[in-house]
Amino acid sequence: MNLRSLLPSILIGAVASARSMTPMATIATARLAGRDTPGTLALLDRPVFKYGALAMGVGELFGDKMKSAPDRTVALGLLARVMSAAIAGAALAPEGEEKEGAAVAVATAVPLAYLTLAARKQAMARIGQTRSGLIEDALIVAAGAAIVALATRD
């Protein structure tokens, strides 16, 4: 296993740590733009999953600003991160290394979820939930888009 070839998978795991649906939404967007992922990804080639990933990504951006939004480290939040990171990590891994890509993405997403939550809580205390969430959204969506853009091809 070459960690350099799995760097996009590791980085998309970091994205999943802060926004669970952004990795799948950015890959779905790339697929809609006619870009191919290095790893095999049959799941997001189905319209229901492709458009569903986009809708869930947008929904998460809105839901995160709600006062009732749970922490990203609750069981369901971690499960969503594991699933999204695994699928996206596999898609961005070189062909034949999808399992390794999924594993490194999950291994990145779960521990970083605790660190990104701690950072978000500090930011919320200083500038509020909505403003900190919008800043985090901008950073995470931009990072996800850049990672996927660099890792995919026409």
Side-chain angles (χ1 to χ4, degrees), residues 47-124:
V48 69
F49 289 107
K50 198 179 307 183
Y51 293 108
L54 286 172
M56 289 177 15
V58 170
E60 180 182 38
L61 296 178
F62 285 105
D64 178 64
K65 312 313 169 288
M66 297 172 60
K67 297 275 187 221
S68 61
D71 285 346
R72 62 192 71 179
T73 56
V74 299
L76 226 51
L78 287 176
L79 179 62
R81 277 157 181 64
V82 166
M83 291 172 34
S84 179
I87 292 167
L92 297 181
E95 189 172 355
E97 295 183 43
E98 291 89 352
K99 288 179 185 175
E100 292 87 348
V104 297
V106 170
T108 303
V110 173
L112 274 184
Y114 291 90
L115 293 175
T116 59
L117 176 61
R120 175 70 186 278
K121 285 183 175 183
Q122 287 181 341
M124 283 172 45

Side-chain angles (χ1 to χ4, degrees), residues 15-39:
V15 167
S17 76
R19 291 289 177 275
S20 60
M21 294 297 115
T22 297
M24 301 254 299
T26 54
I27 290 175
T29 301
R31 292 295 239 206
L32 287 168
R35 298 184 65 84
D36 289 326
T37 55

